Amino acid sequence: MNTSAPETTTLDIEGMTCASCAAFVEKSLTRTPGVQSALVNYATEKATVQYLPDQASPNTLKEAVVKAGYGVTERAPDTSAADRQAAIDKQKAQAYQQLKRRFWVAVGLSVVIMPLSMLMLWPALMQRINMQTLNYLLLLLTLPVLLYSGREFYASAWNGFRHRAANMDTLIAVGTGAAFLYSLAATVAPGWFTNRGLMPEVYYDTTATIIALILLGKVLEQRAKTQTSAAIKTLLGLQAKTARVVRPGGQEIDVPIEQVQLHDVIVVRPGEKVATDGVLLEGTSAVDEAMLTGESLPVEKQPGDPVFGATLNKTGSFRFRVTKVGADTMLAQIVKLVEDAQGSRAPIQRLADKVSAIFVPTVIVIAILTFVLWFDLAPVESRLPLALVNFVAVLIIACPCALGLATPTAIMVSTGKGAEHGVLIRSAEALEKAYQVNTVLLDKTGTITRGEPAVTDFAAAPGQDAARLLQLVAAVERQSEHPLAAAVVRYADAQHYTALPATDFRAVAGHGAAATVEGQTVLIGNRRLLTAEAIALTPELETHAQQLLSQAKTVLYVAIDGQGVGVLAVADTVRDTSAAAIRQLQQQGIEVVMMTGDNPQTAAAVAGQVGITRYFAEVLPQDKASKVLELQAEGRTVAMVGDGINDAPALALADIGLAIGAGTDVAMEAAGITLMRSDLQGVVTAIALSRQTIRVIRQNLFFAFIYNTLGIPVAAGLLYPVFGWLLSPMLAAGAMALSSVSVLTNSLRLRGFTAR
Amino acid sequence: MDTTEILVTLGGLGLAAYVIWYFFFSTRHITTAVSGSGGIQAVAITVKGGYSPDVIEVEWGQPVQLSFYRAEDNSCSEELLIPDFSIRRELPAFQTTLVELLPQQAGRFEFTCGMGMLRGSLVVK
């Protein structure tokens, strides 16, 4: 019996010329021992093979393909996302260069064509020049603009037409094509026009200038577009290229990042990037994690702490064991999340989507009707040129470019900007929901507070050396595994006291712990421990303990050699940034509500501390979601902020869920927005970013719609009977080129977003 | 109205009607994805001024592999969006880009270019 799990690999097949070749390769792969399934795609020239690794290997698969008479292309060792992006960038850069060349050719020729076309405005000059010759000269100058600079428009329009798809190129191609063909006829057969009482006018200047102007728009658009997608490129660029791996013999060698494997031990020196995700083994350091979390202060790392790829090691040197590589790393997940968000559509885009689907064919119909109406209604001697000019103007002004760019560009810039601040937005829809929020529901523990107990007060009885006492207590607690003991040890460590050895340690379940330190019996625990050991407290300590209890803190009592000598208060402390963040939310007109499983007294204390007036106390984990519903029933749009697995239902139920801390995947899955940094400042940033983004999108859509709705009637000549206004096709082209650029520039303003 | 005007009017109206019919009402060819031995439904799509095929039928619950071959360098088709699956890909010119997805519910899901002008749809049955 075979127990190994099947593996899947992809082979690049060479030499297939038809679909039956693919079937043949597929058959020979399927017949190879150990192969469970094989699928060969002729179009992509790839074979996806599932095989049992103990019976077959990539090599035997390759042999099977070669035996069938085809080849297998050796793939580069798993190209990283950064390499792929680099290849795409290179291709884009080449396309951009070509676009610029085509633009400059169009500009160069247009500046000659324009003045030559205007010669006819000077009758004195016209008498000396043969009009026929001039028209042929203009034709010769326009041809390169049409065939070289404008080639893409015509090819694209034709391809689109065959697919019953029409895009902006269709409009430009039909518009300039009509102007050119009319001019060509007037050049080649002027007699046909003069015989019918028409001037054989040419519009070569219109054709060339429109192409030059539209290309200008494309050049500017392309330049701005590269800036909108800069965020992912920046993220990918953060990746370390190599890692210094410690070999079993202790030898350190630099290897490319792709070769790093799970469980490798990697050395990181000060100033170097952490190569991938792992757990610190030896050494301590401060690591700058701003690129992942937006946290500006370096984070202290000790053995056992997680470290993340792409972060920057600041002070010390350390070794860590690799726990994640490739697509599993935090950075790769962030990139994936941002990419997904950029691929999603915001609900606000729906109208623009619907419009752009029917836009171009509708505009073509309007242009045709414009032509017919002008032809029928204008004076006979000028009806053909007027009909033609207005037909072209309608087509050119109506380009839906700006409409198509309005939302996606803003989403791209803002999701990238969010990632920079440690705010990961899952979808454009989440961004739009966050904008509507008027109530933020905060889970107390781990959100407003740190979620772990910390020593808040420490008092020694009169005559006791407080420092010495803390040293003794810490020695006992170091042996204990209780969470409260860990808080005491952290507190002592923060004071930089030397650790003392403790012997005879014993934990008293539900009471506390005891041990012998430097010959003294040290006890630490709750009131029950004191009672059980018949230890009395001094009146001062007793009063102090009562005060601490009234503040809803947990009190620990310390006794040495049977005498009560000190009290410690432990509580879940409020994060330094919570109160400020809550105030900022309230200033934005958002009501902040807190919920907690704690008793009303503790809840009131914490709420008071951070300036919250409404709170739910004693909420059981399973009831968190119903609190969301309760608020929604009041007609509120609720953002739920939480961190734990038990928050997941509430996060999913809220109008928008914000998961704090990237640690719990369940919370991340359920939330629309994930905050990498563990504090509430991220909530403020997320809401502010979403508000600014939606504002920009609305402006963009307004610009795009108003431009087309006003532009088309003017171009069609609707104002002509009243004011005598017509829109020159060249002006239409200029306005059209600027419209998408203005929308892009407006979206790029989001790059200036700063979290307060 | 002279003869020319009548001809231009009739011609214009006829052309307008043809444009409307051609873009909105003419029948489209539907392609059904072929399921390979591995259970993957594979479809090769050529991108050139549009998507061919542009209506693709796939089975619900089985992985779909769409291979987009972009046979042009026109910038209009450089981006591919499948919003319902949160997919955004750059399609390098004259190269094949693989897009994999798992349809988990029946329905019609559109895929478009970056600006929503070129359109196709995935019909999940």
Side-chain angles (χ1 to χ4, degrees):
Chain A
M1 204 181 85
N2 172 54
T3 49
S4 71
E7 280 183 14
T8 306
T9 186
T10 310
L11 304 171
D12 293 318
I13 312 290
E14 272 176 357
M16 294 191 294
T17 52
C18 58
S20 62
C21 297
F24 190 58
V25 175
E26 195 169 290
K27 202 179 283 174
S28 57
L29 277 170
T30 321
R31 283 179 186 165
T32 309
V35 170
Q36 295 199 314
S37 71
L39 181 69
V40 179
N41 188 325
Y42 169 56
T44 59
E45 299 188 321
K46 280 186 201 311
T48 312
V49 191
Q50 200 179 45
Y51 64 98
L52 298 169
D54 53 357
Q55 293 177 33
S57 70
N59 263 338
T60 56
L61 300 178
K62 193 180 157 185
E63 277 165 24
V65 176
V66 174
K67 226 163 107 186
Y70 301 88
V72 174
T73 320
E74 290 296 337
R75 281 222 255 183
D78 243 1
T79 45
S80 66
D83 289 344
R84 238 179 6 251
Q85 187 61 42
I88 291 177
D89 286 349
K90 197 177 157 204
Q91 212 183 32
K92 278 196 151 181
Q94 281 170 353
Y96 181 57
Q97 285 307 323
Q98 210 192 3
L99 179 66
K100 279 205 291 195
R101 257 201 312 275
R102 285 168 43 213
F103 164 66
W104 284 115
V105 168
V107 170
L109 290 168
S110 296
V111 294
V112 183
I113 293 167
M114 279 282 267
L116 282 178
S117 305
M118 286 174 186
L119 286 183
M120 62 187 80
L121 296 178
W122 283 278
L125 268 174
M126 280 308 293
Q127 283 164 4
R128 298 188 196 169
I129 297 167
N130 182 322
M131 183 128 148
Q132 189 73 358
T133 321
L134 181 65
N135 283 355
Y136 272 107
L137 178 65
L138 287 173
L139 169 64
L140 277 180
L141 289 169
T142 310
L143 274 176
V145 181
L146 211 71
L147 299 178
Y148 174 69
S149 303
R151 182 186 55 84
E152 190 183 285
F153 302 133
Y154 304 103
S156 160
W158 174 242
N159 288 329
F161 185 72
R162 291 196 318 175
H163 286 95
R164 300 186 176 96
N167 54 35
M168 62 171 281
D169 292 343
T170 315
L171 299 175
I172 297 159
V174 176
T176 56
F180 178 78
L181 289 177
Y182 180 88
S183 310
L184 186 67
T187 309
V188 181
W192 187 89
F193 288 81
T194 41
N195 288 344
R196 282 163 179 77
L198 288 169
M199 272 286 285
E201 281 182 77
V202 292
Y203 296 95
Y204 293 122
D205 55 340
T206 309
T207 313
T209 316
I210 287 176
I211 292 177
L213 282 169
I214 303 282
L215 285 175
L216 168 70
K218 282 213 164 197
V219 169
L220 294 175
E221 187 185 305
Q222 210 58 42
R223 209 171 59 181
K225 260 187 176 173
T226 44
Q227 291 174 316
T228 61
S229 60
I232 294 218
K233 237 168 277 170
T234 315
L235 280 172
L236 286 170
L238 292 172
Q239 230 167 14
K241 300 270 181 293
T242 59
R244 187 165 301 123
V245 177
V246 184
R247 289 286 176 233
Q251 187 196 4
E252 295 176 10
I253 55 160
D254 282 334
V255 301
I257 189 75
E258 293 81 15
Q259 289 173 24
V260 173
Q261 293 182 351
L262 283 182
H263 313 305
D264 277 351
V265 174
I266 291 177
V267 182
V268 187
R269 295 183 192 157
E272 285 181 348
K273 270 183 190 168
V274 178
T276 185
D277 295 5
V279 173
L280 203 144
L281 292 176
E282 283 176 53
T284 55
S285 182
V287 177
D288 178 1
E289 296 186 338
M291 54 295 285
L292 296 187
T293 61
E295 170 66 65
S296 54
L297 294 175
V299 182
E300 295 291 336
K301 297 283 179 181
Q302 289 177 344
D305 285 346
V307 289
F308 302 102
T311 57
L312 190 65
N313 181 25
K314 299 291 256 192
T315 50
S317 181
F318 64 86
R319 289 175 175 215
F320 73 95
R321 187 176 296 287
V322 175
T323 54
K324 280 172 184 169
V325 290
D328 297 330
T329 61
M330 182 74 85
L331 180 70
Q333 282 180 12
I334 292 176
V335 169
K336 173 90 177 52
L337 219 64
V338 174
E339 277 179 343
D340 282 357
Q342 295 187 339
S344 64
R345 270 286 209 257
I348 195 171
Q349 171 81 358
R350 270 185 210 137
L351 178 62
D353 273 351
K354 276 189 188 140
V355 173
S356 46
I358 58 162
F359 196 79
V360 176
T362 310
V363 168
I364 296 176
V365 170
I366 294 176
I368 294 172
L369 297 180
T370 303
F371 184 93
V372 169
L373 281 174
W374 274 98
F375 192 87
D376 289 350
L377 300 176
V380 174
E381 62 281 4
S382 59
R383 64 184 183 184
L384 191 55
L386 275 175
L388 180 77
V389 166
N390 290 317
F391 170 77
V392 176
V394 169
L395 290 174
I396 302 297
I397 193 83
C399 180
C401 230
L403 208 56
L405 290 170
T407 314
T409 50
I411 300 285
M412 277 180 86
V413 179
S414 105
T415 45
K417 200 71 202 173
E420 216 173 276
H421 285 94
V423 174
L424 299 182
I425 298 154
R426 264 173 76 101
S427 66
E429 195 177 349
L431 199 65
E432 198 174 324
K433 284 270 181 64
Y435 160 81
Q436 296 156 342
V437 161
N438 57 20
T439 306
V440 171
L441 179 59
L442 301 173
D443 179 47
K444 190 206 85 179
T445 312
T447 306
I448 299 176
T449 64
R450 283 177 219 276
E452 56 176 27
V455 173
T456 56
D457 304 81
F458 172 54
Q464 289 287 333
D465 177 359
R468 170 81 184 153
L469 191 59
L470 191 61
Q471 246 181 323
L472 295 174
V473 171
V476 181
E477 296 289 54
R478 239 177 262 283
Q479 313 285 321
S480 169
E481 284 172 355
H482 198 277
L484 291 183
V488 176
V489 173
R490 269 199 306 276
Y491 182 70
D493 283 348
Q495 325 274 336
H496 300 291
Y497 292 150
T498 354
L500 298 176
T503 51
D504 305 329
F505 174 81
R506 66 190 166 91
V508 191
H511 288 73
T516 309
V517 187
E518 299 199 321
Q520 291 178 297
T521 309
V522 184
L523 278 175
I524 175 161
N526 53 22
R527 174 69 75 167
R528 283 199 295 274
L529 183 71
L530 287 193
T531 320
E533 301 280 334
I535 296 167
L537 277 184
T538 61
E540 292 91 348
L541 282 183
E542 192 63 61
T543 324
H544 199 67
Q546 286 310 320
Q547 269 173 4
L548 295 172
L549 284 169
S550 70
Q551 291 165 25
K553 290 174 177 170
T554 308
V555 179
L556 298 176
Y557 302 86
V558 183
I560 290 177
D561 293 335
Q563 275 205 323
V565 288
V567 289
L568 285 152
V570 179
D572 185 4
T573 51
V574 169
R575 289 182 201 279
D576 304 333
T577 52
S578 293
I582 288 166
R583 200 167 45 244
Q584 284 180 34
L585 286 173
Q586 288 164 338
Q587 280 166 359
Q588 288 181 32
I590 292 169
E591 184 176 5
V592 183
V593 182
M594 181 185 88
M595 69 175 161
T596 172
D598 290 346
N599 57 55
Q601 201 185 3
T602 311
V606 174
Q609 221 175 326
V610 293
I612 290 178
T613 46
R614 185 176 177 186
Y615 58 84
F616 301 115
E618 289 174 342
V619 180
L620 298 171
Q622 62 269 29
D623 294 339
K624 285 184 175 176
S626 64
K627 291 297 167 197
V628 172
L629 289 176
E630 206 173 295
L631 288 171
Q632 282 172 335
E634 292 173 21
R636 296 160 181 271
T637 308
V638 181
M640 160 78 199
V641 185
D643 68 331
I645 290 171
N646 57 18
D647 291 330
L651 287 171
L653 208 61
D655 294 287
I656 174 87
L658 293 100
I660 277 202
T664 49
D665 289 345
V666 182
M668 245 172 113
E669 275 300 311
I673 296 178
T674 302
L675 308 172
M676 301 294 292
R677 199 163 49 163
S678 294
D679 70 35
L680 287 179
Q681 202 57 46
V683 181
V684 181
T685 307
I687 291 179
L689 182 64
S690 106
R691 288 188 170 191
Q692 208 161 324
T693 309
I694 299 297
R695 207 175 306 141
V696 164
I697 291 178
R698 285 190 173 165
Q699 288 162 354
N700 283 353
L701 286 174
F702 173 77
F703 284 138
F705 273 118
I706 197 81
Y707 173 80
N708 282 324
T709 32
L710 292 184
I712 295 173
V714 176
L718 213 66
L719 296 181
Y720 185 75
V722 192
F723 304 105
W725 290 353
L726 281 179
L727 188 67
S728 142
M730 281 185 261
L731 269 182
M736 142 66 229
L738 286 177
S739 78
S740 49
V741 176
S742 59
V743 161
L744 270 163
T745 314
N746 196 36
S747 294
L748 284 174
R749 284 195 309 127
L750 285 166
R751 276 157 59 102
F753 174 85
T754 44
R756 277 187 298 168
Chain B
M1 228 183 202
D2 61 25
T3 327
T4 326
E5 281 172 356
I6 293 170
L7 284 177
V8 166
T9 310
L10 288 178
L13 291 178
L15 201 58
Y18 175 73
V19 168
I20 293 172
W21 171 81
Y22 188 73
F23 285 106
F24 301 129
F25 298 103
S26 60
T27 48
R28 274 153 202 259
H29 182 63
I30 299 174
T31 302
T32 308
V34 186
S35 231
S37 41
I40 298 169
Q41 312 180 77
V43 185
I45 299 162
T46 307
V47 186
K48 193 176 181 187
Y51 305 102
S52 30
D54 60 353
V55 183
I56 295 146
E57 272 186 359
V58 294
E59 293 278 333
W60 170 91
Q62 277 189 41
V64 176
Q65 190 185 59
L66 306 171
S67 35
F68 286 88
Y69 176 71
R70 183 164 157 235
E72 63 179 353
D73 54 6
N74 185 310
S75 59
C76 272
S77 58
E78 70 187 0
E79 244 176 33
L80 169 79
L81 282 175
I82 316 179
D84 295 294
F85 294 88
S86 274
I87 289 171
R88 182 183 145 265
R89 289 277 193 292
E90 293 201 33
L91 306 179
F94 306 109
Q95 279 181 41
T96 302
T97 308
L98 286 185
V99 174
E100 273 151 1
L101 49 91
L102 183 66
Q104 284 171 316
Q105 53 183 359
R108 196 182 181 95
F109 306 99
E110 282 216 319
F111 53 92
T112 69
C113 71
M115 285 194 198
M117 301 301 299
L118 312 181
R119 279 156 187 274
S121 45
L122 198 67
V123 181
V124 181
K125 297 210 297 183

